[in-house]
Amino acid sequence: MPVRHREKHRTENSGWLRAAVLGANDGIVSTASLVLGVATAHGTHGNVLVAAISGLVAGAMSMAAGEYVSVHSQADAEQADLKHERAELKADDKGEHKELAAIYVGRGLDHALAKQVAEQLMARDALGAHARDELGISETLRARPIQAAFTSAGSFAVGAAMPLIVTAVAPVASLIVFVSGASLLFLALLGALAARVGGAEVMRGAMRVTFWGALAMAVTAGVGALVGAFL
């Protein structure tokens, strides 16, 4: 029996890649912005470090909780749709055959072939066929709340650790320059890596992430300087 060749597709990584990139990007941007905001408000080096560490911990926990709730809501919706589809299959099997065949006709098959494909697929796994072709639910793209939560929290912590380490070792007099410069470099590398893994244009991915990160840090630093002027 010939060995079945299984192709690897980039969409198989979309779930964890999205959570990892979002977490790391948030970690770098929010922690660097926090550091710059406190520094421009004339905070001491100790104040800046405490703010950065607190931001890392709070941000990681927030990312984990938010991602878990969000993705779990998606998983709940998927389970509700599957439950409804299971009931429809039990109540009206012939109607579900016609519905699936109509989907294949809409995709370009003639009526006879569409009917045959629907019958064969439903004979093997009726719910799986409807989940995939009617509801758009597949194993590859299925919602995974726990995986998303841990990925987001871990990647946020890794991203936040980068500006935190720079803050800890940079000269106090040049803290703002070192943190902003290093953070922009980290963001550019992250954007390039994410684009590379996702199959997109590397330079465009790097520039997109760097631009929005720079904007966030500039706004936060400006607010910090404004608040510091009145303290």
Side-chain angles (χ1 to χ4, degrees), residues 27-47:
I28 296 172
V29 173
S30 62
T31 305
S33 297
L34 190 60
V35 166
L36 294 176
V38 176
T40 54
H42 311 298
T44 65
H45 191 248
N47 294 148

Side-chain angles (χ1 to χ4, degrees), residues 49-122:
L49 275 175
V50 170
I53 294 171
S54 299
L56 185 155
V57 176
M61 297 305 297
S62 176
M63 287 291 292
E67 194 74 11
Y68 180 82
V69 170
S70 174
V71 178
H72 208 296
S73 297
Q74 179 186 342
D76 289 342
E78 291 178 357
Q79 290 303 314
D81 283 342
L82 290 173
K83 182 179 179 180
H84 180 71
E85 195 63 35
R86 193 179 289 111
E88 287 187 336
L89 286 167
K90 186 175 181 179
D92 185 14
D93 185 69
K94 288 185 178 180
E96 291 300 301
H97 272 81
K98 292 180 180 178
E99 184 178 30
L100 192 61
I103 291 173
Y104 298 141
V105 169
R107 293 179 181 176
L109 300 183
D110 61 55
H111 288 273
L113 181 57
K115 182 179 178 181
Q116 183 181 4
V117 171
E119 288 177 350
Q120 290 188 9
L121 288 178
M122 288 186 66

